[in-house]
Amino acid sequence: MRPSSGLPQCGRRCPHSGGKSMRCSSIPPSTASPSMSWMRMHSGIWPRRTGTVVKKSCYPRWNEAFEFELPDPPAEKLCVEVWDWDLVSKNDFLGKVVVSVQGLRAAGHQEGWFRLHPDTAKAREERRRGSLGSLQLQVRLRDETVLPSHCYQPLVQLLCQEVKAGHQAGGVHLVTLLDETTTAECRQDVAVNLVKLFLGQGLVKEFLDLLFELELAKPCEPNTLFRSNSLASKSMESFLKVTGMQYLHVVLGPTISRVFEEKKYVELDPSKVEIKDVGCSGLHRVQTESEVIEQGRQLLQSYLRELLDTIGKSAPTCPPVIRAAFRQLFQRVGERFPQHQHTQFVAVTSFLCLRFFSPAIMTPKLFHLRETHADARTSRTLLLLAKAVQMVGNMEPAAGRAKEEWLAPLQPALQHGASQMRAFIIQLVGTEEEEKGGEGWPCAPRTAVVKEGLLFVHKTRGKGPLLASTSKKLHFCLTSEALSFSKSPGAERCGSIALANIRAAEKVEEKSFGSCHVMQVVYVDDAGQQETAYLQCKCVNELNQWLSALRKVCGNNPQLLHAYHPGVFRGDKWSCCHQKDRTGPGCGRTRHSITLQDWSDPLQPDVEAQRLFQHLHGLQQPLREKYWQLMEEGGPQNGPRGCGEGPLLPIELRRLFEALQDLERCHRQLPPALLELQT
C-alpha cells in the first residue's frame, strides 16, 4: 500500500452549529520533479499550512493530514501548491491544484489524480500547462451539526443499557447488528466514536468485554483470533491509540530517537544489500555481503534488545484502564480455548504488538513520536525493527523465518524476545490487587509535579509575570500549587501563577497565531487584573495534555469563567467576535469538564453521539434486514416475523429507531442558515 498525504479536515463543532471537514491524500507528481519538494495549502480565508519537505526524491510522498476550520461564510476554494525547496536560492513553484468547496458540497468526497496547473498570474507559466505532472489527493467535506446534550440522551442511554446488559445467549445483540451492517471503510471511524463515547460514560471496559464475548462466540480458530478487521478488533485498536499514546511514547521514544540519530545502515536481505567502501584514508576495501549482514544483525539486535527491555519493565506504568482491558481479554480467551493456553498470550500481542507497537515503529510521525518522516535508510531500519517486534508478538519466531529465510540470523534474539514478552504479559494482566499495591503506582505527594516542559510564549498587549519575561521559550512546571516558569529546566524560577488565580485553560483558534497548538491560560494577577497568557505547544498531543492537567488541578476554583474569547485582542477588537471591549464577556463556552483522564484525547460526548447518529441514521433498513436474517438462521423457534403492518422488531431496535427519528426532527428544527451548511 502506498503512503498518502492527507489534507484538510475543515470542521466547526459546537452546539447549534455546523462544521465541515476535508481529507486529502497525496502521492505527488507523476512526472519527475526536483529532489526536495514540499506542499502548501491555503485559501482566501483559511491560514496557510505547509507540509514536510521531502528530500532526495523525484516522486515525493507526504502521508500527512491537516485540519481546517471552515469559516462562515465559507471560502470558495482550497489551493494545494507544490514547491521545490532550495537551501540558498528562492524556492521554485512546481504547480498547484485548486479544489472547489462548492463542488465538494455536491459530491462530499473527491479522490484521485489531479493535474498540477501553473500560476496563471504569470504569463510565462501558462505555456507549461499540462506538463507539470499530477498530485494524488483525497478530499472530504464533512458537515456536523451538534445539538444540545439533552437531545442525545435517549440514544446514549440506550447504547449504555445494551452494554450493561452484556451478552445474552439466544438473542441478537444490537452491537452484533452494528458490526454486521457497518462497511469496512466506516468501521474504523465507528469504532473510535464508540470507544470515546463509552470512555466518557465510564463503560469502556464493559464495552470491550462485550465485544470480546461476541467475537469469541463466533466459529473461530486459535491461530486466526482477532486477526480480522471486525468491530472488536478495530475498537480495541482505537482504544489503545486513544488511551495509551503517552505510554507508547515512554516505551518506544528512546529507541526510535536512537535509530533516527544514529542513521546506521541495517539490512539482512541479501537481495537488498548495498556494498560500500570502508577503511581508512588511502586504504579502502570493499565490505563483503556477509560483513554487511552481520553488522546489520548486530545493530538490529541491539535496537530490539533495548526495546524489549523497556517493554518488559513497563507493566507498572501502563495505564490501569489498558491493563484491565487486557486482563479481561486474557480471561475470555482462556475460557474459550482452555486447551490452548498459548492462545491467551497471542490474543494480547495481536493487539499490543501487531496493531499498536509495530505501526508506531514503522511510521513514528503518525503517532507523534517524531516531527518529520524518516528518510529511506531510517525507514528500512524501522521496518525491520517493526517486523522483528511482530515476530516476537507471534510468540512463534520460527513461523516468520519460514516465510523469509534471511531472518534466520535473528532467530536466537527472537526466541529470547518471545520469552521476555510472555513474562511481560503475565505481569501486565496481573490481578487488580497487584496493580493497586504495586510499586509502580505510589501515592504522589501534595506538591508533586503534575506536568512540565518547554512552551513558546506569544507576546501580546497586557501585563503580568509572563509578559514581562524577555525569553520567548520558557520551561513551565505545573504542581498542585502553582504554574511556575524558568528559562531552562533546573534554573531559578522567574515567576509563577497561583492555581487559585487561574480562571480558564482553553485552546486558541488557529488564525490568531498561525498554529493549531496554542492554548491560553486566563488568570488574575496580584493587582486583581485579568490577564491572558498564550502558550504554544509542539504538537496536538502535548496541547491536550497541558489543557487536561490545568483543568484537573483548577477544577475546584470557585471563580472559573463560563465563557472566553478563542481569539486574541489585536488593535481595537477581538479577532473572534470583533467585540471592541477588551474586558467584555467571552463569545465561546469554556470546557472545564473536558479532560484526558487516563487517555490522550479530549472527549466531546455530544460530537461522538452526533457522529454515531449520522452513521446509524443511514443504517435503519439494513439493521432491520440483518436482524431478520440472523433470526432466520437461528431457526423458527425464534418467533414469528409478524404479519399485517410488517415484521415485529425487538424493543431495543424499536427504541433505537425512535431515538434516531427524534434526533432527525431536532435537526429539521434548526434555523435555515445552519441547514445550508449541511451536505
Side-chain angles (χ1 to χ4, degrees), residues 372-436:
T372 60
H373 288 294
D375 56 28
R377 170 176 288 192
T378 305
S379 293
R380 179 60 180 172
T381 303
L382 294 174
L383 177 63
L384 291 173
L385 181 59
K387 187 185 291 289
V389 172
Q390 287 180 353
M391 293 175 68
V392 169
N394 289 333
M395 309 298 284
E396 293 180 358
R401 178 187 171 186
K403 298 178 183 178
E404 297 167 319
E405 290 293 335
W406 47 269
L407 288 172
L410 210 60
Q411 197 65 17
L414 297 177
Q415 292 281 6
H416 180 66
S419 300
Q420 286 182 285
M421 187 62 66
R422 188 181 185 91
F424 165 70
I425 293 172
I426 292 174
Q427 188 180 8
L428 184 71
V429 301
T431 63
E432 294 184 35
E433 289 73 17
E434 291 175 351
E435 181 178 318
K436 292 176 182 178

Side-chain angles (χ1 to χ4, degrees), residues 252-263 306 369-370 382:
L252 300 187
T255 305
I256 296 295
S257 298
R258 179 187 167 194
V259 172
F260 269 80
E261 291 165 4
E262 291 184 353
K263 296 185 179 296
E306 177 184 337
L369 285 160
R370 302 293 297 184
L382 294 174

Side-chain angles (χ1 to χ4, degrees), residues 447-452 477-481 499 549-550 552-553:
T447 57
V449 174
V450 178
K451 183 165 180 61
E452 61 181 334
C477 180
L478 177 64
T479 68
S480 55
E481 297 178 351
L499 295 188
L550 285 164
K552 284 181 180 179
V553 295

Side-chain angles (χ1 to χ4, degrees), residues 5-8 22-28 38-43 46 48-51 62 66 68 77-83 93-100 104 114-118 134-139:
S5 113
L7 255 184
M22 291 184 191
R23 194 154 207 72
C24 316
S25 305
S26 135
I27 308 174
W38 57 281
M39 228 178 7
R40 183 170 67 189
M41 291 70 61
H42 69 88
S43 74
W46 291 323
R48 292 175 183 265
R49 294 283 194 86
T50 303
W62 281 279
F66 298 89
F68 287 96
K77 62 185 180 180
L78 174 74
C79 185
V80 184
E81 300 176 352
V82 183
W83 293 73
F93 178 75
L94 299 181
K96 65 180 179 180
V97 173
V98 178
V99 180
S100 169
L104 277 174
F114 295 81
R115 188 171 295 278
L116 290 170
H117 295 282
S134 301
L135 192 70
Q136 189 177 24
L137 300 172
Q138 183 188 57
V139 190

Side-chain angles (χ1 to χ4, degrees), residues 601-623:
D601 216 2
L603 303 177
Q604 301 184 53
D606 296 343
V607 174
E608 306 307 333
Q610 169 62 24
R611 291 174 178 172
L612 287 172
F613 159 69
Q614 288 178 324
H615 179 72
L616 291 168
H617 184 262
L619 287 181
Q620 295 184 65
Q621 188 56 34
L623 285 170

Side-chain angles (χ1 to χ4, degrees), residues 451-570:
K451 183 165 180 61
E452 61 181 334
L454 290 171
L455 296 175
F456 183 89
V457 181
H458 285 279
K459 302 288 185 177
T460 58
R461 278 172 33 180
K463 301 177 181 179
L466 275 171
L467 300 178
S469 173
T470 57
S471 301
K472 290 186 176 181
K473 184 173 287 188
L474 297 172
H475 181 268
F476 285 79
C477 180
L478 177 64
T479 68
S480 55
E481 297 178 351
L483 175 66
S484 59
F485 48 93
S486 57
K487 291 186 177 181
S488 61
E492 184 180 355
R493 192 172 67 175
C494 299
S496 65
I497 302 171
L499 295 188
N501 293 338
I502 294 179
R503 299 291 180 260
E506 299 291 337
K507 289 184 180 180
V508 179
E509 60 185 8
E510 183 180 349
K511 65 181 181 181
S512 298
F513 296 104
S515 171
C516 57
H517 305 150
V518 181
M519 66 175 176
Q520 57 177 296
V521 179
V522 184
Y523 64 98
V524 176
D525 61 16
D526 295 336
Q529 183 72 27
Q530 182 172 300
E531 299 290 348
T532 304
Y534 297 95
L535 310 175
Q536 181 171 329
C537 306
K538 65 179 180 181
C539 65
V540 66
N541 263 358
E542 187 182 40
L543 172 66
N544 291 335
Q545 290 165 15
W546 271 107
L547 285 173
S548 177
L550 285 164
R551 288 168 180 172
K552 284 181 180 179
V553 295
C554 301
N556 295 324
N557 286 4
Q559 297 180 347
L560 291 175
L561 298 178
H562 299 290
Y564 78 109
H565 288 285
V568 64
F569 194 84
R570 284 204 177 101

